[in-house]
């Protein structure tokens, strides 16, 4: 019998975001971004974790206070894991892992500090050129996300972020500078990370300061801002194809997966409604028009999106080349959730599934949910797929001898890799690659905690900014290295098991 492996050329690697790793928040001309004013949080319960709105909301006053503050422990994304000064060491470790690709994002405010300038900051461009060159020197292909939760702060304060139509031109100015500089070196681009997330954290994703708007109008504001992002995304696809025809551009969506809590038809219907919402945003970027679900929602809620004829044309004519997504967990939906236990998710709340184990942060672990997602996405879009985020956020312990035994992380990823293999081989899904989230420990997006670690590489830093920033290989390091070396064969030989 021939050995089981992933398809030749499968893109194994890891993924990060600038605001969660770089630090150097005000160095070499970088302007402050939304990430630099997000407060550290240490939620002690699922209920606290579930308070997504309170966790991510911000007011002008809070921003003023943040800008006056020099306390990095309150605003940890300002120091990240100091990747800005460690990028060579970090990429060398990724090369040792055998990465074929490395997904990272460019911080817009490193290139255009306030968002509205006309000429780019050369030092910002130079930093990313160094990162790209470093990757290429090891044969690692960069996958670049153009927007991952960090609009420039001034753009949010002065223009109301993405609500303002000018945002499209500002963003395209940034995109043009970046593409012109890096054309020929970067084959894979992603436009907006989890474009749907503007509805969950309007400030981080869309630069919207909610307290400036009345509660009645805020839905309209969010969807209008999101529309501007869709137009910018389509224009980005067009521009990249024009400047660098060999490059491929993908959308990136949060692949939330919900099961009916029971087989009661009303639970199944409620789940279908929720899933239509999950797919709606990807639908726009693949099919180039708003789906029936959103059109009905707009009509029934008096949401009136201002859309020009040119918007409709550019969206229709510039679908993405591939669909990328994050997948961490699944949960349930019921028509009536009274009395049912809730569980936290990727800045979302769901009903607890009694059949699934959960991480320390309450995210339910479900490799079959990944296979299900791959099949659903592929059947719906018939475009190549890429998993650009997946992993387990957990507390790691450094043993007395300096080693870190993160078998739970190995088990988690192992089971998800097996599910990917089945989706490819049993279900015929076209999967281009897999980039594990946070191959090196980084700050949590939702809480800015350092203690929620995803990496194969440990960073000696705690939640309060104490530590040497030294990088240490965990047990999972050699395990993932072997996975890549054998193109998946090392895990496909054994049986799956998930323990947390
Ligand atoms: C994804 C984001 O939604 O989830 C990442 O794109 C984020 O930026 C990841 O880090 C995991 O979430 P958290 O809150 O554990 O960092």
């Amino acid at each position: 019998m021939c050995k089981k492996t992933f398809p030749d050329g499968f893109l194994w690697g890891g993924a990060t975001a600038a605001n969660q790793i770089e630090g150097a928040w005000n160095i070499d001309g970088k302007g402050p971004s939304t990430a630099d004013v997000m407060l550290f949080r240490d939620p002690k319960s699922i209920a606290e974790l579930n308070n997504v709105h309170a966790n991510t909301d911000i007011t002008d006053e809070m921003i003023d206070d943040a800008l006056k503050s020099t306390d990095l422990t309150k605003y940890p994304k300002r120091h990240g894991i100091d990747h800005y000064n460690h990028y060579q060491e970090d990429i060398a470790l990724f090369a040792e892992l055998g990465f074929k690709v490395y997904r990272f994002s460019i911080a817009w405010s490193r290139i255009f500090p306030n968002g509205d300038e006309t000429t780019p900051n050369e030092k910002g461009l130079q930093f990313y050129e160094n990162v790209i060159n470093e990757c290429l020197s090891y044969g690692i292909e960069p996958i670049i996300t153009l927007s991952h939760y960090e609009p420039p702060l001034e753009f949010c304060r002065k223009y109301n972020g993405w609500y303002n139509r000018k945002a499209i031109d500002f963003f395209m100015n940034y995109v043009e500078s970046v593409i012109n500089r890096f054309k020929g070196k970067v084959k894979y681009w992603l436009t907006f990370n989890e474009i749907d997330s503007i509805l969950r954290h309007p400030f981080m994703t869309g630069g919207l300061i909610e307290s400036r708007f009345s509660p009645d109008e805020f839905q309209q504001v969010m969807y209008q801002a999101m529309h501007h992002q869709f137009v910018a995304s389509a224009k980005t696809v067009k521009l990249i194809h024009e400047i660098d025809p060999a490059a491929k551009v993908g959308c990136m969506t949060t692949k939330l997966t919900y099961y009916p809590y029971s087989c009661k038809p009303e639970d199944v219907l409620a789940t279908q409604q929720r899933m239509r919402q999950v797919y709606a945003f990807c639908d726009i970027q693949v099919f180039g028009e708003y789906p029936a679900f959103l059109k009905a929602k707009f009509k029934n809620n008096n949401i009136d999106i201002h859309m020009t004829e040119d918007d409709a044309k550019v969206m229709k004519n510039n679908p993405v080349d591939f669909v990328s997504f994050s997948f961490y967990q699944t949960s349930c939906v019921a028509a009536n959730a009274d009395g049912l236990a809730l569980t936290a998710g990727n800045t979302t709340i769901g009903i607890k599934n009694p059949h699934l184990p959960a991480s320390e942060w309450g995210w339910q672990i479900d490799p079959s949910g990944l296979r299900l997602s791959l099949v659903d996405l592929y059947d719906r879009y018939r475009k190549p797929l890429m998993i650009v985020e997946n992993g387990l956020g957990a507390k790691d312990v450094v043993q007395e001898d300096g080693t870190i035994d993160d078998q739970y992380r190995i088990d988690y990823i192992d089971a998800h890799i097996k599910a990917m293999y089945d989706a490819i081989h049993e279900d015929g899904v076209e999967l281009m690659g897999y980039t594990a989230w946070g191959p090196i420990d980084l700050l949590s997006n939702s809480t800015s905690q350092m203690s929620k670690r995803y990496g194969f590489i440990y960073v000696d830093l705690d939640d309060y900014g104490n530590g040497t920033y030294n990088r240490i290989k965990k047990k999972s390091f050699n395990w993932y290295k072997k996975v890549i070396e054998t193109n998946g064969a090392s895990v496909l030989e054994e049986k799956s098991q998930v323990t947390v």
Side-chain angles (χ1 to χ4, degrees), residues 16-17 19-20 103 148-149 193-194 197 200-201 252 254 326 328 345-347 361 363 389 393 437 442-449 452 454:
T16 63
N19 72 93
Q20 291 168 256
R103 174 190 173 216
H148 194 134
Y149 298 162
N193 183 67
E194 298 183 341
S197 65
R200 301 191 294 276
H201 31 79
M252 198 294 195
T254 323
S326 56
Y328 293 94
N346 195 336
T347 58
W361 272 262
W363 297 24
E389 287 188 31
W437 178 247
L442 41 64
L443 290 173
S444 157
N445 166 56
S446 50
T447 60
S448 295
Q449 286 168 300
K452 189 178 190 185
Y454 286 87

Side-chain angles (χ1 to χ4, degrees), residues 218-236:
F218 199 58
Q219 283 266 324
Q220 162 85 30
V221 169
M222 280 193 297
Y223 279 106
Q224 184 66 57
M226 192 191 240
H227 173 71
H228 293 148
Q229 292 197 334
F230 284 129
V231 175
S233 180
K235 284 186 170 219
T236 300

Side-chain angles (χ1 to χ4, degrees), residues 14-22 30 33-36 38 77 102-110 128 143-152 155 162 171 174-175 189-198 200-207 229 251-254 324-328 346-347 363 388-390 435-439 442-446 454:
T16 63
N19 72 93
Q20 291 168 256
I21 59 167
E22 283 177 6
K30 179 181 173 293
S33 77
T34 54
D36 300 318
M38 291 312 294
K77 286 182 182 148
Y102 169 41
R103 174 190 173 216
F104 59 93
S105 70
I106 294 182
W108 179 3
S109 71
R110 217 178 264 295
Y128 293 108
I143 300 177
I144 297 188
T145 317
L146 287 157
S147 177
H148 194 134
Y149 298 162
E150 51 187 324
F155 157 79
W162 279 96
F171 187 74
Y174 150 67
V175 170
W189 297 92
L190 304 178
T191 58
F192 289 84
N193 183 67
E194 298 183 341
I195 201 161
D196 47 292
S197 65
I198 198 170
R200 301 191 294 276
H201 31 79
F203 178 63
M204 275 197 285
T205 304
Q229 292 197 334
C251 58
M252 198 294 195
T253 194
T254 323
S324 81
F325 64 99
S326 56
F327 178 90
Y328 293 94
N346 195 336
T347 58
W363 297 24
V388 291
E389 287 188 31
N390 174 245
T435 57
W437 178 247
L442 41 64
L443 290 173
S444 157
N445 166 56
S446 50
Y454 286 87

Side-chain angles (χ1 to χ4, degrees), residues 12 21 25 62 82 89 95 148 172 177 195 221 223-224 239 249 261 283 368 467 477:
W12 295 101
I21 59 167
W25 73 293
M62 286 163 76
D82 197 27
E89 180 186 352
H148 194 134
M172 291 317 295
S177 310
I195 201 161
V221 169
Y223 279 106
Q224 184 66 57
L239 191 74
V249 194
Y261 185 71
D283 285 357
S368 299
F477 186 95

Side-chain angles (χ1 to χ4, degrees), residues 165 168 224 227-228 231 234-235 238 288-290 305-318:
R165 200 175 163 89
I168 302 174
Q224 184 66 57
H227 173 71
H228 293 148
V231 175
K235 284 186 170 219
K238 182 170 186 284
E289 57 193 24
Y290 280 83
I305 301 297
H306 176 67
M307 185 183 334
T308 67
E309 265 178 41
D310 274 358
D311 289 356
K313 249 190 245 158
V314 80
M315 286 163 64
K316 188 72 197 164
N317 294 338
N318 297 283

